Amino acid sequence: MTSTPRLLLPLLEAAQAQKEITHNEALALLDHFVQPVIEAVPSAAPPASPVDGTSYIVGTSATGDWSGYDDHLAMRINAAWVFLAPFDGLTVWLKFYAKTVSYSAGSWVIGSVNASHFKVDGIQVLGAQQSAIAAPTGGSTTDTEARTAISAILSALEAHGLIAT
């Protein structure tokens, strides 16, 4: 094996000359792959004046230096492009929008978080969606104002996905 299986980091070989080159390349790749930050939403064309140390997601139908690397992470290292094929679970930070971008089932998903629950200071504030709640009907005394308010609350809970529709 000449590289690691997932991030494709170069491995040192026994009796290898100039091991520092391989080691430095691995460090440069780690600098981009660990907690990656991308500059903008996926784009098919590389930036006109790329800066070393920046990373991008290559869009579909890529052109120029990015041709053939659709959906890959493109990192500018030593005035050259280095690419990483995405894998399920790869998550990067989208600097322009301050959102996460995750690779799942063959595509990049921007700003979506999948979780079973959400906690603030150790207290669960959101959980799984609950069953639908019927709007108020019937009764011997009808309070139109209360029914309107309750219906508005139920609509808001449905719109936010907290209860089923």
Side-chain angles (χ1 to χ4, degrees), residues 63-127:
T63 61
D65 290 343
W66 289 0
S67 182
Y69 291 99
D70 291 9
D71 287 335
H72 283 57
L73 279 185
M75 293 139 295
R76 191 68 173 184
I77 301 174
N78 296 325
W81 291 109
V82 176
F83 299 94
L84 172 68
F87 49 86
D88 278 351
L90 178 61
T91 301
V92 301
W93 182 252
L94 177 54
K95 185 164 57 172
F96 184 78
Y97 290 109
K99 294 181 180 180
T100 58
V101 183
S102 298
Y103 192 79
S104 178
S107 65
W108 289 99
V109 179
I110 299 174
S112 179
V113 176
N114 293 318
S116 58
H117 61 274
F118 184 79
K119 292 182 178 183
V120 174
D121 290 331
I123 299 170
Q124 181 173 321
V125 294
L126 290 176

Side-chain angles (χ1 to χ4, degrees), residues 2-11 25 29 33 83-85:
T2 59
S3 62
T4 62
R6 192 169 50 145
L7 293 179
L8 304 176
L9 301 173
L11 296 173
E25 179 185 356
L29 293 172
F33 294 155
F83 299 94
L84 172 68

